[in-house]
Amino acid sequence: MIVPQRAAETRAGWLMSAPALAAIFLFFLVPAFASLFLSLTDFDIYALADLRNLRFIGLRNYADLLHNPLFWNAFLNSARYVLFGTPLVVGMSFAAALLINHRYLRWRPVWRVILFAPYVTTLVATAVVWRYLFNTEYGLVNWMLGWVALGPIDWLGSPTASTPAILLFVAWKTFGYNMIIFLAALQLVPRELDEAARLDGAGRIGRLRHVILPAVAPAFLLVTVLTIASMFQLFAEPYVMTEGGPAQSTVTILYFMYEEGFKWWNLGSGAAVAVLLFLCICAVTLVELLLVRRNLR
Amino acid sequence: MKPREMLVTGLAACVALFTALPLLWMVSASFMQPGEAAHAPPPLLPSSPTLANYAQLFRNYGIGTYLFNSLVISTLATLLALIFTVPAGYALAKLRFSGRVTIQWMLVVAILVPGQIGMLPLFLELKFLGLVNSYAGVLVPWLAGIFGIFLVRQYCLAIPQEMIEAARLDGASEFAILRHIILPTLAPILVTLALFVFLGCWNDFLWPLIILSDQDLYTLPVALAAFSREHAEDLEVMMAGSVITTLPVLLLFLVLQRFYLDGLLSGSVKQ
């Protein structure tokens, strides 16, 4: 009885997972590894027409990229998004979570869903909307800045303002998602502990530091790692809002990869960009995990 | 309401208003007369609301085709993703078979790899298979949904083993158990997964942009991005296009928000 049962289970187990595993293998793992191989070749429009034009060139794509000022420009732009965008998004998300979690807040579900809504909207559509919001003469953003006697700022037309403009849009689009993760963590803060601290005369800042922050520390790590990865992967935002301009100031690594691969058809070089992007994300995530582990000790 | 409640709730209302403002303005401007929105100070409401911008999108821009493409592709992606990931998630949670642990570890590693890494080789692979510039080419990445497998697996772990054992003693085959006993209990997570895939596919931009070259096959985001590069000066028409592109998924989310937010939490806790 037991032996045929195990055999049937094994057979069913493999049959049920086989379609998904085959798809993951064919359309995810093979391409991911093929990127490594492709990045060592000079695959270009001629190889696309006839594979006999394909040559193995070792690390030359990488060497060329590291000598290409346009690649460094894209890399530094992405690094800027990570460096300034991550604290902005994490801070906004946590502030929003504290507000939504506030014990005096009424009609909580309504506010929660409104703050989350931008996250589910179509990125391209809202990027088109924000492009007009950022218009120098008749955009809503400069109009509001006018109330406090600021501006007008040429948001999308000047290389210095274009980065903050895109980051503002990205923050608006994504803070709701991270807010939900923070909210889940805040719900784990023991109410009794918070009450006890309050009765002991702990101030707002004291409670935040000693009761709330320790409880949400894992959520901070999760949100930071996710945000860094997403900041490295900005593409549609500059594609729609600035087309990479002005003066290449919003070309991200992914945007550079897209143009290298599908505008100039340098697929070998584009694959090298993809591999470098992956290494960047891995490196930053690893460093962060190490820092956190050292701090915990 | 106590003063403190009014203060906190008022603050939340302000934040919510600012958050919703871009979307509200999008809807409002889509009903404005041509050229009306391009004034300083920016008008917040249309002086004489019109449907002309929408009419123009359907008549001159052929947005009906793109709407149809987006609907068909997102629906197919949802169905295919469910067919591929649900049995796998269940098998990994509940069936004991050799290789299961290895598979799970490989999937955990794979979920950390961003999909863009393999995008160029995937393009070449599909070109070789003759799937470039077709619905099938857009759908392919949705078959390989590792996140969906974990979501289903997570949910299946909570199903009591006795339920399955009892059915086996009654002589039910493993596939009959999946169909008649497991699937009904999975209903909530199936709605969640379907919602994730539908919204993800509808909103996706980079992959359809790469794989579709024929305009007649464009999805809404790809078409809208192309319009906004060519017709940037037609602000009101672009706003109507944005409404058509994003309103369906926004409404779908609002109706099914409980499923979406629950799934998001079980997914992120997992990560």
Side-chain angles (χ1 to χ4, degrees), chain A residues 5 9 14 20 26-27 35 104 106 113 116 120-122 131-132 138 144 172 233 239 267 274 278, chain B residues 1 4-5 9 19 21 39 84 96 98 116-118 120 125 140 168 203 228-229 232 239 246 253 257:
Chain A
Q5 166 54 35
E9 226 177 302
W14 276 106
L26 272 178
F27 304 127
S35 255
Y104 290 121
R106 300 282 293 269
V113 82
F116 185 78
V120 293
T121 57
T122 310
R131 206 173 93 177
Y132 294 108
Y138 45 80
M144 286 179 189
W172 171 82
Q233 294 172 54
Y239 186 94
L267 289 146
F278 178 55
Chain B
M1 227 193 272
R4 266 192 161 165
E5 284 181 343
T9 308
T19 307
L21 195 61
H39 281 101
F84 273 69
R96 287 152 297 174
S98 51
Q116 289 96 341
I117 302 309
L120 290 98
E125 190 182 326
V140 150
R168 278 184 189 141
N203 292 339
S228 84
R229 286 191 161 193
M239 288 307 105
T246 203
F253 162 73
Q257 48 163 306

Side-chain angles (χ1 to χ4, degrees), chain A residues 90-243:
Chain A
V90 174
M92 265 176 74
S93 314
F94 188 60
L98 284 179
L99 177 63
I100 298 297
N101 197 49
H102 201 284
R103 53 195 197 123
Y104 290 121
L105 184 69
R106 300 282 293 269
W107 309 307
R108 180 168 295 127
V110 179
W111 312 126
R112 194 181 62 163
V113 82
I114 294 177
L115 296 197
F116 185 78
Y119 182 73
V120 293
T121 57
T122 310
L123 182 51
V124 170
T126 42
V128 168
V129 173
W130 275 77
R131 206 173 93 177
Y132 294 108
L133 294 182
F134 276 129
N135 188 289
T136 317
E137 291 158 59
Y138 45 80
L140 245 51
V141 176
N142 274 346
W143 178 58
M144 286 179 189
L145 284 179
W147 296 347
V148 286
L150 276 178
I153 297 172
D154 186 7
W155 287 102
L156 300 175
S158 102
T160 38
S162 58
T163 299
I166 291 205
L167 283 179
L168 273 178
F169 167 62
V170 172
W172 171 82
K173 182 83 171 62
T174 56
F175 84 95
Y177 174 84
N178 301 311
M179 175 191 78
I180 296 291
I181 299 178
F182 277 131
L183 273 176
L186 284 173
Q187 247 116 64
L188 300 178
V189 176
R191 286 267 157 171
E192 311 85 65
L193 194 63
D194 199 31
E195 284 303 322
R198 194 192 305 275
L199 291 178
D200 284 349
R204 199 162 307 199
I205 305 291
R207 268 182 290 135
L208 187 65
R209 253 192 73 188
H210 298 291
V211 180
I212 297 179
L213 280 185
V216 295
F220 261 100
L221 178 65
L222 175 67
V223 166
T224 312
V225 168
L226 292 178
T227 306
I228 289 178
S230 70
M231 285 291 168
F232 266 122
Q233 294 172 54
L234 298 187
F235 170 75
E237 297 84 350
Y239 186 94
V240 173
M241 292 170 72
T242 57
E243 304 183 22

Side-chain angles (χ1 to χ4, degrees), chain B residues 122-269:
Chain B
L122 184 59
F123 173 82
L124 293 176
E125 190 182 326
L126 294 189
K127 191 170 167 56
F128 178 73
L129 294 172
L131 296 178
V132 164
N133 204 16
S134 71
Y135 280 179
V138 188
L139 291 172
V140 150
W142 298 100
L143 303 179
I146 304 174
F147 174 80
I149 296 181
F150 278 120
L151 196 65
V152 174
R153 176 182 169 272
Q154 184 90 344
Y155 204 87
C156 283
L157 286 175
I159 297 174
Q161 192 70 31
E162 298 84 63
M163 245 168 89
I164 300 169
E165 296 297 343
R168 278 184 189 141
L169 286 179
D170 288 345
S173 78
E174 295 295 331
F175 285 90
I177 294 175
L178 173 62
R179 251 200 76 190
H180 299 294
I181 296 176
I182 304 299
L183 272 190
T185 65
L186 287 183
I189 204 70
L190 296 187
V191 177
T192 300
L193 183 56
L195 196 58
F196 277 162
V197 177
F198 191 90
L199 264 60
C201 183
W202 183 282
N203 292 339
D204 198 13
F205 178 59
L206 180 51
W207 182 245
L209 177 73
I210 289 172
I211 205 78
L212 298 173
S213 51
D214 194 346
Q215 262 206 21
D216 290 339
L217 294 174
Y218 277 4
T219 59
L220 278 171
V222 180
L224 185 66
F227 293 162
S228 84
R229 286 191 161 193
E230 286 163 35
H231 307 275
E233 67 288 351
D234 299 333
L235 194 162
E236 296 78 13
V237 177
M238 289 305 119
M239 288 307 105
S242 300
V243 170
I244 293 176
T245 304
T246 203
L247 206 61
V249 282
L250 197 56
L251 291 178
L252 200 59
F253 162 73
L254 289 177
V255 172
L256 298 171
Q257 48 163 306
R258 186 172 64 82
F259 295 97
Y260 192 98
L261 295 175
D262 287 355
L264 196 150
L265 285 177
S266 60
S268 65
V269 168

Side-chain angles (χ1 to χ4, degrees), chain A residues 57-100:
Chain A
I57 55 166
L59 294 173
R60 215 177 70 204
N61 283 326
Y62 294 93
D64 287 349
L65 282 176
L66 297 182
H67 286 108
N68 183 347
L70 289 177
F71 172 74
W72 280 108
N73 171 59
F75 177 82
L76 290 176
N77 285 340
S78 279
R80 256 209 313 270
Y81 288 123
V82 172
L83 206 64
F84 296 111
T86 310
L88 176 71
V89 171
V90 174
M92 265 176 74
S93 314
F94 188 60
L98 284 179
L99 177 63
I100 298 297

Side-chain angles (χ1 to χ4, degrees), chain B residues 62-73:
Chain B
I63 206 166
T65 312
Y66 310 124
L67 184 61
F68 176 80
N69 289 338
S70 272
L71 272 175
V72 172
I73 289 175

